[in-house]
Amino acid sequence: MWVAICDDEQHFLDSLKAAIYEYSSKHRLGIAIDEFSCGQDLLDSERKYDLVFLDYKMDGIDGLETARRLRSSNYLCAIIFITAYPQIAVDAYKVETFRVLTKPLDIEALNTDLDAYFGNAGRNYTISIKENRYNRSIKTQDIIFLKAENKCCHIILGEEEVFVSRTLSSMGSQLPSWLFCRVSKSHIVNLSYIKEYSREEICLKNKVAFPIGRRYFNDFVSMYIDYHRERAR
């Protein structure tokens, strides 16, 4: 998964980055971190992040405005604000903030926030799609899998199937990357709905089965193991 840290204090940024990598190593998580010294650089990044640590008070675009702009572009990352002023929490939660982490860095508090994130990430995310010219919100926890059809895709929600005029890759970029895995050229699957798998195919809890692409297999197995390891904690 991808994490962004946006803070204009380099010493704090380095300390936080090191602490996150230490947590990642301890729990055998696949985490990569990009760092930014201002909100505009984060907004200009083409990468979609799962988790963003965002300094509340920065020169130029402050953290709150940066968060608003992320949300306005339908950016579904979890945001943890960094601040020396705990009283900002009321404003912070207006942009669906996941947690607030206070300065100076408290490793125990950081680990608690990360534990909470990995225990809940992806469960309550909502994505917005356009269906028959109307906007519709869908909870990611309700998505079983997605399948491609030419340059469009189907979203499978239990007994319902939603058709959207977007590519599978485009839809996949909106979903929590630790919970959804591309397993073939035509399918992205919610790991929580997998019943069993072999080298050749995946079987879901709704009794649907489809092939695993050979070049996707190793990445899928790694993600699936990490997913269940975190659920067991």
Side-chain angles (χ1 to χ4, degrees):
M1 61 171 287
W2 282 96
V3 174
I5 303 174
C6 185
D7 195 296
D8 57 6
E9 296 181 29
Q10 189 63 47
H11 177 71
F12 180 86
L13 192 155
D14 291 341
S15 297
L16 178 57
K17 183 177 180 180
I20 295 171
Y21 274 134
E22 182 176 351
Y23 180 97
S24 167
S25 177
K26 178 180 178 181
H27 297 289
R28 299 179 65 186
L29 298 170
I31 291 179
I33 300 174
D34 284 343
E35 55 185 79
F36 304 91
S37 60
C38 68
Q40 189 61 57
D41 287 348
L42 172 60
L43 293 170
D44 289 341
S45 174
E46 295 182 357
R47 199 185 306 281
K48 294 295 184 181
Y49 297 97
D50 301 284
L51 178 60
V52 174
F53 288 84
L54 186 57
D55 189 13
Y56 191 83
K57 186 175 178 59
M58 295 183 290
D59 292 335
I61 303 174
D62 65 18
L64 189 60
E65 180 59 24
T66 300
R68 287 195 182 106
R69 295 188 189 186
L70 288 175
R71 294 299 187 221
S72 69
S73 63
N74 200 29
Y75 206 125
L76 297 169
C77 61
I79 295 175
I80 295 180
F81 269 115
I82 307 163
T83 181
Y85 309 98
Q87 61 269 26
I88 64 94
V90 174
D91 286 336
Y93 286 108
K94 293 178 181 178
V95 287
E96 301 175 60
T97 302
F98 181 69
R99 291 287 176 97
V100 173
L101 182 67
T102 57
K103 294 181 178 181
L105 181 61
D106 181 331
I107 300 298
E108 184 175 347
L110 170 65
N111 290 343
T112 297
D113 289 346
L114 291 173
D115 285 344
Y117 172 75
F118 284 104
N120 296 289
R123 294 300 179 183
N124 299 311
Y125 286 176
T126 299
I127 62 172
S128 178
I129 64 169
K130 182 165 287 188
E131 181 187 16
N132 298 324
R133 296 183 300 172
Y134 295 97
N135 291 323
R136 174 178 176 179
S137 295
I138 297 176
K139 291 183 178 180
T140 54
Q141 64 184 2
D142 296 332
I143 299 174
I144 301 175
F145 68 95
L146 302 90
K147 63 179 180 180
E149 181 178 302
N150 298 320
K151 293 184 178 181
C152 302
C153 74
H154 295 261
I155 303 173
I156 312 303
L157 307 162
E159 300 298 322
E160 185 181 6
E161 188 168 328
V162 179
F163 180 80
V164 292
S165 300
R166 295 177 56 182
T167 65
L168 188 65
S169 294
S170 174
M171 285 303 306
S173 69
Q174 283 195 268
L175 301 171
S177 63
W178 75 275
L179 185 62
F180 288 85
C181 180
R182 189 158 191 166
V183 296
S184 72
K185 186 177 180 181
S186 303
H187 292 88
I188 292 175
V189 65
N190 183 330
L191 297 174
S192 69
Y193 283 98
I194 293 175
K195 180 180 180 181
E196 58 187 7
Y197 70 90
S198 66
R199 183 167 285 274
E200 288 77 31
E201 71 174 5
I202 288 176
C203 298
L204 303 181
K205 294 175 183 178
N206 65 350
K207 300 181 180 180
V208 172
F210 41 77
I212 300 178
R214 183 176 300 176
R215 73 185 184 92
Y216 296 92
F217 182 77
N218 289 338
D219 286 343
F220 159 70
V221 171
S222 178
M223 284 188 63
Y224 191 64
I225 290 172
D226 285 345
Y227 169 79
H228 278 287
R229 181 180 293 120
E230 290 307 310
R231 302 287 68 71
R233 288 175 50 203

